[in-house]
Amino acid sequence: MAERTEQRIEDRIPELEELGRVGLLTSKEIRAVIKKTLALEYKIQRRALHKENFISYIQYEINLLELIKKRRARTGYSFKKDEIEYSILQRIHGVFKRATTKWSDDLQLWLSHVAFCKKWVTLWIMAAKWEMEDRLSSESARQLFLRALRFHPECPKLYQEYFRMELMNAEKQRKEKKEFEQAKMDLGEFSYSEEILNGAMARVVYRNAVQKIKGAEFLLSLLSIAKLFDFTQDLQKEILENLQAEYANDPLMWDYIARQELEKDSLPTTEHRSKQSKAQEAALKEERCCMVFDEAVASLPTEAMWERYIAFCLERYNRKTNSEELKQKRLERISSVCSRAHELQLLPASLYQQWLQLLLGLDLREKAEEVAAAATRRFSHLVEMWEMRLKLLLQLNTDGVGPCFQEAFRAVKAKDSLPLWILCTEWSENVNSTPETEALYQRSLLATLPADSVTMKEKYIEWAYMAGGYKKAKKVFTSLHESRPFSLEFFKKMIQIEKEQESCKMSNIREYYERALREFGATDPGKKYLAGLHQRGTDSHSLEGDESVAGRTSGNFYFKVHIAANWTPVRNVIVDVSYLKS
């Protein structure tokens, strides 16, 4: 028994060394794993077996898998899974198999094994990959995939990898047959099936998969896998025909069909082509793509379809080219497509900003204003549309900014209006008088939600200091210091303003800190309080600190503050610093 246990521990050494080498476990943790698994192995190798020992072993291995999974997520290391997780998976299955053989009437034990198999889809794939690539056993890999699909009958990833494995197996057999034929070897009774060589097994997987899993995206994923192999033309054709027949109303299908035109040659290929001929070929390919997209939006006039059409045009426009003619064609095309979608009221809200930038690039200022106004009429409830329009008007320096702000505030709900108030006050600071801007700030505090008014209070006090100096900022702070809610930044700004004054008053700084303490507690503001007092002390005051009578660092801390000029005690400040407890 001891020899068998020691052998099983030695079999784990390569896996543990790999865990240490890639940094997923420390050397101390590896020693702890060896010690624990050695004890667990001895327990399940005894003559008198107990089910609890098997369950403990399985749970420990599952916990180890979970730990490795978390470490991988934290470190971003995703390699060596075959050497690490697969061996743990095999060991867990082995322990489960022994336990279910010993206690075959224990239903809960069987259900636990099934639940484990259901959870680890990735490990099924890894196991099949190991059988296929390391042990060169396509049959074992196939059996693993079939077993996995019994637990996960609707898992797209399993079908994709199973489909890939069958194509790899067919490609491997095609290469073997070619090598035998070149070597003129007599294979005797052994022969390769032409159906297998042409991907018949992969076709079976594909047909079963599409019955279980629906969606154009899944079919396209299988098609992209099939295109990696040069003997799958018939299979690709079947998938494409199924895609067009089943998902004619899916924008993803039309997008794929249109983009396929980019892969076709437009002009006869020559070894050396000029830049002009390359630009011409790119232009012809893009024209063919747009013809397909035009057919698509006519057949499927939806916002999602137009969005894919425009995304394609933007993608081509952003591609670098030395041909000014091609670049101009792309610019005109994207502008035309956006205009058509806009006229049909099918242009997505997310694309208006990009269209406006294109119009400004073409120096179509009036058109840009019209489009922005139409966008706010169509999406009047979206603050992003109003913000876009207002920024455009500010950029063009037009006269209609003020009325547009008023229109926006009427259309947008209070809970979404904060970006508009920020933009409005910033605009007013540059063009309006001080009383008008102050009235706008005061109005914003009433019009926004309490949580949003916090931001406006910070901006208000900052503007007051810049516009009217210290007295103005002090007046604003006094008017707002009881108007909750606040942010810590609000008090920090006032403290900083006070510290910047030549005749800085310690009593004012103390008032701001104490107000912050009352609002936010001692955790963060308390530290700032002590730091602020200490900073003032190093400039013009002395601070003498001593612990409480008990001598504990977690008790009260007493500060004696003196005026540096005559050392006359002014006030004893008692601050609870229990939050500094380590």
Side-chain angles (χ1 to χ4, degrees):
M1 182 182 74
E3 291 180 359
R4 188 185 306 169
T5 302
E6 294 292 341
Q7 182 61 46
R8 292 176 68 87
I9 295 299
E10 288 179 9
D11 292 340
R12 298 186 67 140
I13 297 299
E15 150 200 338
L16 294 172
E17 288 178 345
E18 198 66 48
L19 282 167
R21 189 183 66 80
V22 301
L24 294 176
L25 291 180
T26 65
S27 56
K28 184 178 179 180
E29 289 171 333
I30 291 173
R31 289 194 296 271
V33 170
I34 293 174
K35 182 178 179 181
K36 180 67 175 179
T37 52
L38 183 62
L40 291 170
E41 281 286 350
Y42 272 115
K43 288 182 180 180
I44 66 171
Q45 298 295 341
R46 295 172 179 170
R47 289 186 177 180
L49 298 177
H50 298 282
K51 182 168 55 177
E52 292 76 13
N53 294 334
F54 283 83
I55 294 173
S56 297
Y57 197 165
I58 291 167
Q59 188 60 56
Y60 181 76
E61 293 287 5
I62 291 174
N63 292 342
L64 182 59
L65 271 177
E66 292 286 352
L67 176 63
I68 294 170
K69 180 181 178 181
K70 290 180 180 179
R71 294 279 174 88
R72 284 187 181 278
R74 188 181 68 187
T75 61
Y77 185 82
S78 59
F79 304 102
K80 300 291 183 180
K81 290 187 177 182
D82 290 350
E83 293 86 342
I84 299 172
E85 280 93 336
Y86 177 65
S87 59
I88 299 175
L89 171 68
Q90 291 291 85
R91 194 159 46 249
I92 293 173
H93 280 305
V95 177
F96 262 124
K97 189 174 180 180
R98 285 187 59 192
T100 51
T101 302
K102 176 69 176 176
W103 295 280
S104 58
D105 58 341
D106 191 327
L107 180 60
Q108 188 60 45
L109 198 58
W110 284 101
L111 292 175
S112 298
H113 194 185
V114 171
F116 174 77
C117 294
K118 282 186 174 182
K119 182 178 180 181
W120 295 92
V121 176
T122 306
L123 295 180
W124 282 106
I125 296 172
M126 289 166 48
K129 181 181 177 184
W130 182 76
E131 291 286 352
M132 181 69 182
E133 297 180 359
D134 293 357
R135 296 189 63 189
L136 304 177
S137 175
S138 60
E139 184 58 33
S140 298
R142 185 178 295 113
Q143 291 302 319
L144 279 170
F145 273 120
L146 291 173
R147 288 176 61 192
L149 287 170
R150 286 200 291 271
F151 294 115
H152 306 274
E154 297 181 357
C155 177
K157 186 66 175 176
L158 271 177
Y159 278 110
Q160 289 164 0
E161 295 303 320
Y162 187 14
F163 183 69
R164 189 194 308 273
M165 187 276 293
E166 291 294 358
L167 290 175
M168 289 173 61
N169 182 46
E171 184 180 48
K172 174 188 168 187
Q173 292 191 26
R174 291 172 71 93
K175 290 180 179 179
E176 288 177 356
K177 182 182 178 184
K178 184 177 180 180
E179 290 174 359
F180 285 138
E181 290 176 348
Q182 289 176 348
K184 298 180 180 180
M185 294 179 61
D186 184 13
L187 301 179
E189 297 181 356
F190 181 79
S191 63
Y192 290 94
S193 170
E194 286 298 324
E195 292 184 348
I196 299 295
L197 295 177
N198 292 326
M201 295 297 293
R203 182 175 278 102
V204 171
V205 174
Y206 157 72
R207 290 175 179 173
N208 289 332
V210 295
Q211 291 177 0
K212 295 286 186 180
I213 303 171
K214 304 299 181 180
E217 185 177 0
F218 178 65
L219 256 67
L220 288 173
S221 69
L222 297 182
L223 183 57
S224 64
I225 293 172
K227 291 179 71 173
L228 299 174
F229 302 87
D230 57 7
F231 59 90
T232 60
Q233 285 77 14
D234 292 340
L235 181 56
Q236 292 178 44
K237 184 179 179 181
E238 180 179 343
I239 297 174
L240 193 57
E241 289 175 352
N242 190 11
L243 179 68
Q244 292 175 302
E246 296 290 333
Y247 302 100
N249 293 328
D250 193 318
L252 188 61
M253 185 279 293
W254 284 104
D255 184 73
Y256 176 81
I257 298 298
R259 290 174 184 272
Q260 286 297 103
E261 298 296 329
L262 293 174
E263 300 181 7
K264 299 177 182 178
D265 292 329
S266 299
L267 299 174
T269 57
T270 57
E271 292 185 3
H272 302 286
R273 291 186 299 172
S274 64
K275 292 181 179 179
Q276 184 178 1
S277 64
K278 290 181 180 179
Q280 289 175 353
E281 182 177 10
L284 288 173
K285 288 180 178 181
E286 291 174 10
E287 287 294 337
R288 292 205 306 266
C289 290
C290 290
M291 289 174 64
V292 177
F293 273 116
D294 288 335
E295 182 184 350
V297 294
S299 173
L300 188 65
T302 63
E303 190 173 290
M305 190 66 253
W306 279 103
E307 184 174 9
R308 289 197 172 271
Y309 191 179
I310 295 168
F312 167 78
C313 294
L314 285 170
E315 180 185 316
R316 301 307 297 180
Y317 174 72
N318 292 328
R319 287 179 66 90
K320 292 182 179 180
T321 177
N322 294 324
S323 172
E324 289 297 327
E325 182 182 356
L326 178 59
K327 189 172 184 180
Q328 186 63 28
K329 278 185 179 180
R330 289 171 174 174
L331 182 57
E332 292 172 358
R333 180 188 299 123
I334 180 62
S335 181
S336 173
V337 173
C338 287
S339 180
R340 289 164 56 194
H342 171 69
E343 290 172 0
L344 295 171
Q345 293 193 347
L346 292 174
L347 183 65
S350 58
L351 294 176
Y352 270 98
Q353 181 67 48
Q354 293 171 292
W355 187 24
L356 289 180
Q357 294 302 320
L358 291 172
L359 291 174
L360 292 176
L362 294 171
D363 200 26
L364 299 174
R365 297 160 59 97
E366 293 183 2
K367 177 68 173 176
E369 287 187 48
E370 292 176 8
V371 168
T376 52
R377 285 195 298 271
R378 183 182 169 203
F379 301 101
S380 59
H381 61 289
L382 294 181
V383 67
E384 295 83 5
M385 292 292 101
W386 288 103
E387 196 174 4
M388 175 195 70
R389 181 183 175 186
L390 288 163
K391 286 181 178 179
L392 175 68
L393 295 178
L394 291 172
Q395 182 181 346
L396 299 179
N397 197 22
T398 60
D399 297 331
V401 177
C404 187
F405 270 117
Q406 298 302 321
E407 188 181 354
F409 288 133
R410 288 193 297 269
V412 176
K413 294 181 180 179
K415 65 183 181 67
D416 301 322
S417 64
L418 178 61
L420 295 180
W421 283 109
I422 293 174
L423 191 62
C424 185
T425 51
E426 290 175 352
W427 164 74
S428 182
E429 289 172 12
N430 295 323
V431 300
N432 291 336
S433 63
T434 299
E436 290 175 325
T437 302
E438 184 166 15
L440 199 59
Y441 270 112
Q442 292 174 353
R443 182 185 165 195
S444 72
L445 298 179
L446 300 174
T448 55
L449 296 181
D452 293 335
S453 69
V454 169
T455 303
M456 297 310 301
K457 289 170 187 173
E458 295 171 10
K459 292 184 65 62
Y460 188 9
I461 198 168
E462 190 175 346
W463 167 81
Y465 183 54
M466 291 189 297
Y470 171 74
K471 289 184 178 180
K472 183 71 174 176
K474 175 70 173 175
K475 182 180 178 181
V476 170
F477 179 82
T478 303
S479 68
L480 295 178
H481 67 221
E482 295 297 339
S483 179
R484 293 174 178 81
F486 300 112
S487 67
L488 187 58
E489 192 64 28
F490 176 73
F491 293 99
K492 286 181 180 179
K493 286 182 183 295
M494 194 60 218
I495 291 167
Q496 186 60 36
I497 290 171
E498 185 71 44
K499 287 181 178 181
E500 290 175 0
Q501 308 310 308
E502 292 183 2
S503 57
C504 173
K505 293 183 180 180
M506 188 62 179
S507 59
N508 288 342
I509 294 180
R510 184 179 294 112
E511 177 192 352
Y512 306 147
Y513 274 119
E514 288 175 351
R515 286 186 178 278
L517 283 168
R518 285 199 298 270
E519 294 294 331
F520 301 101
T523 303
D524 188 15
K527 296 177 184 178
K528 298 290 183 181
Y529 187 100
L530 297 176
L533 288 176
H534 179 68
Q535 182 177 354
R536 295 304 303 164
T538 56
D539 294 338
S540 60
H541 301 73
S542 66
L543 300 179
E544 296 179 2
D546 47 67
E547 293 187 44
S548 60
V549 178
R552 298 188 302 271
T553 58
S554 60
N556 293 332
F557 207 94
Y558 298 85
F559 285 96
K560 296 179 181 178
V561 184
H562 304 274
I563 299 299
N566 54 18
W567 295 92
T568 303
V570 177
R571 182 180 181 186
N572 288 338
V573 183
I574 303 178
V575 182
D576 183 8
V577 290
S578 59
Y579 58 87
L580 296 176
K581 184 178 179 181
S582 58

